Amino acid sequence: MANSPVASDRVPQREPPRQARSNDLSLSLTLALKDGVLGTTPLSHQQTALSLLRADIPYIAAGVPRILSAVVASIFSRRRRATWAELREMAFYLMLSLVELQLLISVSLWLVLPGLALLPWLILQAVSIWILTRCINSGPRSLIFTAATPGGTSSGGDEKRVDWFVVGGLVHNERMRQGLAAKLAGTFGHDMHVFLPRRLGFLFDTFLVLLQRNISIPTARSVALYHSVRTSLLRPETSEVRILAHHTGTLDVSWLLARLCADFPPGDRLAKLQVFTFGAASTEMTLPLGHPYRGNEDGPGSLYPLVTHFAFTDDPVAQIGVLLGIRQRLEGRFVGSLYTIHSGSLYPPKYRLFPRTYHHTIDDYLDILFPEGDPLAGVLGQICKIDRELSEMRELAALAQSVTNERLRTRRARLSWTALGVVANSLSGGHKDRDDMAGPYSLEEVRKKAKSLEGLRGYENNPLVDTMRNRSHMRPRHSATNTAAVKGLQDRRTGCSKSGNRRSHS
């Protein structure tokens, strides 16, 4: 956008870096869904909108207390570092949410009491909501933050352009304006085009999230994001387009991917796009499958965008979003690989409602993944466990749905491993055509890939780490370890033996 406000090159006052505690964290990787037999379909194609809303309401209702608890915990943890602008934004948002709650109660009373007695009060509350909404959303919705290091949108010395877009979540809009976007620009070394949501209060925002998760409706932000990303993909000088989406921002990105795949044919333009989500709130993210899907590989035959998800297990938004969609709602289509960060710290019963630490903000993801800009020093430097069980279960579920033509969502009991295995064996034994064997081949390909990736470290073959502009700045404590790590990474990409790679990390 030509009229988008551009942030100045002045770097805001940095808050003291928080110590990244990755000792009690572990990392696992769920491979991307291949589904060569096309057993999965978008959830909106399986049931009516009313049925989807009715099924999703319990998940949203169960997640609201945890989300409120995480927000309160983050406010208390940042109370000394928050600026006056952030505190004012939190106060206005709290007032707006309380007025909306009061309006909801008043409407309930209006149904049983005389209407004329409460009508002036309802009008006053509606006007108050309108005024507070305008105050909260008075700032620009689209901003461009320039990187402090030279290079901007270009990569290195070549003239190819790399465009970065950031789609924020519901909370911490002012935090994004004050310094978070500049932190992202400094971490990845590129200008950041930030899209902020229009905040409507907690009740209305929750209702909008419920609609976006189950009904494909565009918002003002998703339309603006679509036009900007589409323009970048059409530029011949643009080599890559990357999107960072946090929490509810993934709902707009999910809508964006569906529209781009309908707008562009498979090929070089769509292959430019890379999407990275953090604690995604969406329960599905669709791309065409049944082809050599790019997944987590950078092969020359890439036809579609690369999608990678990151989620903390204690992130309340991810619990009702990406973790729910990939682990439980197997009947849907959730593309992309998932890096799950497991928290090993347990809290006493008195801290379960308001725990001392919740990993859910974009700052938490950056501090754990890239402490001080170094992915080798955080959780990505650990050995990454390959979740073979979940990866294979997703492929088996797609096989089961393609053979039995029965949606897993309509079943009262979940298919067991034995049942899925019987289905897979019946498919592989009853059909000899090459197209009919696409499902078993996809399953076998996932099994082989999971086995070959054993002993992988989090920064190896990680698309997000590969996007970092200055790889030379990733220096661990010992140079020998750094040399071994680089050698191991090169061995994996060149197809060297796994045993030699393991020795390089020992």
Side-chain angles (χ1 to χ4, degrees):
M1 291 184 180
N3 57 351
S4 299
V6 180
S8 62
D9 294 335
R10 178 180 58 86
V11 180
Q13 183 179 2
R14 296 184 178 225
E15 58 185 55
R18 292 178 292 178
Q19 183 67 25
R21 299 179 179 178
S22 58
N23 295 331
D24 57 345
L25 300 176
S26 60
L27 186 68
S28 66
L29 170 62
T30 303
L31 301 182
L33 178 67
K34 296 184 178 295
D35 190 12
V37 78
L38 297 178
T40 60
T41 56
L43 296 175
S44 58
H45 297 175
Q46 301 178 22
Q47 297 186 39
T48 62
L50 184 60
S51 300
L52 292 174
L53 290 172
R54 190 185 303 113
D56 199 28
I57 287 177
Y59 295 111
I60 298 292
V64 164
R66 297 194 296 267
I67 295 175
L68 291 176
S69 174
V71 171
V72 172
S74 65
I75 292 175
F76 276 98
S77 64
R78 281 187 50 83
R79 64 186 183 274
R80 296 182 179 179
R81 301 189 303 269
T83 62
W84 284 109
E86 294 180 52
L87 295 176
R88 183 188 61 183
E89 182 191 37
M90 295 177 189
F92 275 117
Y93 191 78
L94 178 60
M95 291 173 56
L96 178 59
S97 303
L98 292 178
V99 174
E100 289 176 353
L101 179 61
Q102 193 174 19
L103 177 63
L104 180 62
I105 297 175
S106 301
V107 170
S108 302
L109 295 176
W110 184 65
L111 298 177
V112 296
L113 296 177
L116 293 178
L118 289 176
L119 186 59
W121 179 241
L122 293 177
I123 294 176
L124 178 61
Q125 290 177 331
V127 172
S128 301
I129 291 175
W130 179 76
I131 294 175
L132 289 173
T133 302
R134 289 184 61 88
C135 292
I136 293 177
N137 300 286
S138 59
R141 302 291 95 195
S142 177
L143 298 168
I144 298 178
F145 289 82
T146 57
T149 56
T153 57
S154 62
S155 176
D158 55 17
E159 297 180 356
K160 290 297 182 180
R161 180 187 180 94
V162 180
D163 293 335
W164 286 74
F165 299 92
V166 180
V167 191
L170 279 180
V171 296
H172 306 306
N173 275 10
E174 198 61 39
R175 167 75 182 122
M176 182 69 75
R177 294 191 186 99
Q178 293 291 329
L180 184 55
K183 181 178 179 180
L184 289 170
T187 300
F188 296 99
H190 289 274
D191 297 347
M192 294 290 167
H193 192 171
V194 181
F195 291 87
L196 299 176
R198 182 175 177 83
R199 307 180 70 181
L200 306 175
F202 188 77
L203 290 181
F204 290 172
D205 285 334
T206 303
F207 182 70
L208 180 60
V209 168
L210 178 65
L211 293 179
Q212 283 188 282
R213 280 162 59 103
N214 299 280
I215 304 174
S216 182
I217 55 174
T219 61
R221 180 171 66 167
S222 60
V223 173
L225 179 65
Y226 168 77
H227 288 298
S228 298
V229 173
R230 188 180 188 275
T231 302
S232 296
L233 293 176
L234 288 174
R235 290 196 189 103
E237 67 272 14
T238 302
S239 61
E240 291 180 343
V241 179
R242 297 161 182 168
I243 300 177
L244 305 176
H246 178 239
H247 281 180
T248 55
T250 57
L251 298 172
D252 297 303
V253 173
S254 180
W255 180 90
L256 169 72
L257 289 178
R259 294 304 173 271
L260 289 178
C261 289
D263 197 11
F264 291 107
D268 295 337
R269 288 194 177 95
L270 286 179
K272 294 179 182 179
L273 184 60
Q274 299 179 0
V275 176
F276 305 98
T277 71
F278 305 92
S282 57
T283 55
E284 68 174 353
M285 190 169 288
T286 59
L287 284 175
L289 294 178
H291 56 83
Y293 178 61
R294 182 176 183 176
N296 208 24
E297 300 173 352
D298 299 328
S302 302
L303 301 175
Y304 291 94
L306 180 147
V307 182
T308 309
H309 310 282
F310 298 86
F312 284 101
T313 53
D314 59 347
D315 187 341
V317 178
Q319 290 172 0
I320 62 174
V322 59
L323 297 180
L324 175 68
I326 290 183
R327 292 179 175 181
Q328 299 183 29
R329 303 181 76 169
L330 302 180
E331 72 280 359
R333 176 175 293 183
F334 210 124
V335 299
S337 56
L338 170 64
Y339 286 88
T340 305
I341 307 173
H342 305 265
S343 177
S345 58
L346 299 178
Y347 300 99
K350 63 179 180 179
Y351 292 121
R352 288 178 183 174
L353 181 60
F354 295 100
R356 297 176 181 174
T357 303
Y358 255 129
H359 299 98
H360 73 102
T361 65
I362 190 66
D363 283 295
D364 295 331
Y365 282 96
L366 290 178
D367 292 338
I368 296 299
L369 295 175
F370 307 108
E372 299 182 358
D374 186 4
L376 277 69
V379 70
L380 294 179
Q382 300 179 7
I383 297 293
C384 182
K385 175 187 175 184
I386 308 300
D387 197 339
R388 299 177 57 184
E389 180 179 352
L390 181 56
S391 302
E392 295 178 13
M393 177 69 80
R394 298 178 70 198
E395 299 294 336
L396 286 171
L399 271 173
Q401 292 183 121
S402 66
V403 174
T404 62
N405 198 24
E406 179 185 9
R407 296 294 131 189
L408 299 182
R409 192 179 184 83
T410 62
R411 297 178 58 92
R412 293 182 178 270
R414 189 180 302 276
L415 283 174
S416 63
W417 269 100
T418 304
L420 292 173
V422 170
V423 170
N425 290 333
S426 64
L427 178 63
S428 60
H431 303 276
K432 299 299 182 182
D433 185 73
R434 181 175 181 179
D435 294 335
D436 293 335
M437 291 296 293
Y441 284 151
S442 297
L443 175 61
E444 186 63 23
E445 185 179 356
V446 167
R447 288 175 174 172
K448 290 181 179 179
K449 183 176 180 180
K451 188 175 181 180
S452 65
L453 293 179
E454 290 180 357
L456 185 81
R457 290 189 180 270
Y459 59 83
E460 296 179 341
N461 256 2
N462 191 315
L464 184 60
V465 177
D466 294 340
T467 60
M468 297 196 67
R469 184 171 179 270
N470 297 320
R471 297 296 298 271
S472 59
H473 287 192
M474 300 183 301
R475 297 190 182 98
R477 295 183 179 89
H478 303 288
S479 59
T481 307
N482 187 21
T483 304
V486 173
K487 182 180 184 300
L489 179 58
Q490 294 175 350
D491 289 345
R492 288 183 183 276
R493 289 182 174 177
T494 55
C496 293
S497 63
K498 184 171 62 178
S499 59
N501 188 21
R502 284 181 179 175
R503 287 193 298 269
S504 67
H505 290 294
S506 59

